[in-house]
């Protein structure tokens, strides 16, 4: 939903695109790691990194509002 809003708002800056792709890649890595190894601390780190990239995308959209 946030990526859809980013596109509608016209905030297609390099930072926003990088954060959106980072979120996707971290979620894919998290899913693969969960299905293959499933060591909780590493899985949590991947989840936390994906969440931080999502926060970065949200902050980029807040800054673009001004």
């Amino acid at each position: 939903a946030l990526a859809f809003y980013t596109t509608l708002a016209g905030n297609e800056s390099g930072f926003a695109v990088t954060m959106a792709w980072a979120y996707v890649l971290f979620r894919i890595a998290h899913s693969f790691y969960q299905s293959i190894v499933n060591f909780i601390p590493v899985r949590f780190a991947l989840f936390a990194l994906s969440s931080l990239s999502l926060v970065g995308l949200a902050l980029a959209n807040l800054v673009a509002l001004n």
Side-chain angles (χ1 to χ4, degrees):
L2 192 54
F4 186 64
Y5 170 77
T6 302
T7 303
L8 287 177
N11 181 22
E12 296 164 347
S13 65
F15 181 75
V17 171
T18 301
M19 288 294 102
W21 278 110
Y23 176 74
V24 169
L25 293 175
F26 282 129
R27 294 301 298 160
I28 290 171
H30 175 268
S31 296
F32 277 131
Y33 193 84
Q34 180 179 3
S35 65
I36 296 171
V37 181
N38 201 21
F39 184 61
I40 302 295
V42 175
R43 237 180 79 203
F44 176 74
L46 290 169
F47 180 79
L49 288 171
S50 69
S51 297
L52 286 175
S53 63
L54 199 60
V55 168
L57 182 58
L59 290 175
N61 283 326
L62 282 175
V63 168
L65 282 176
N66 296 328

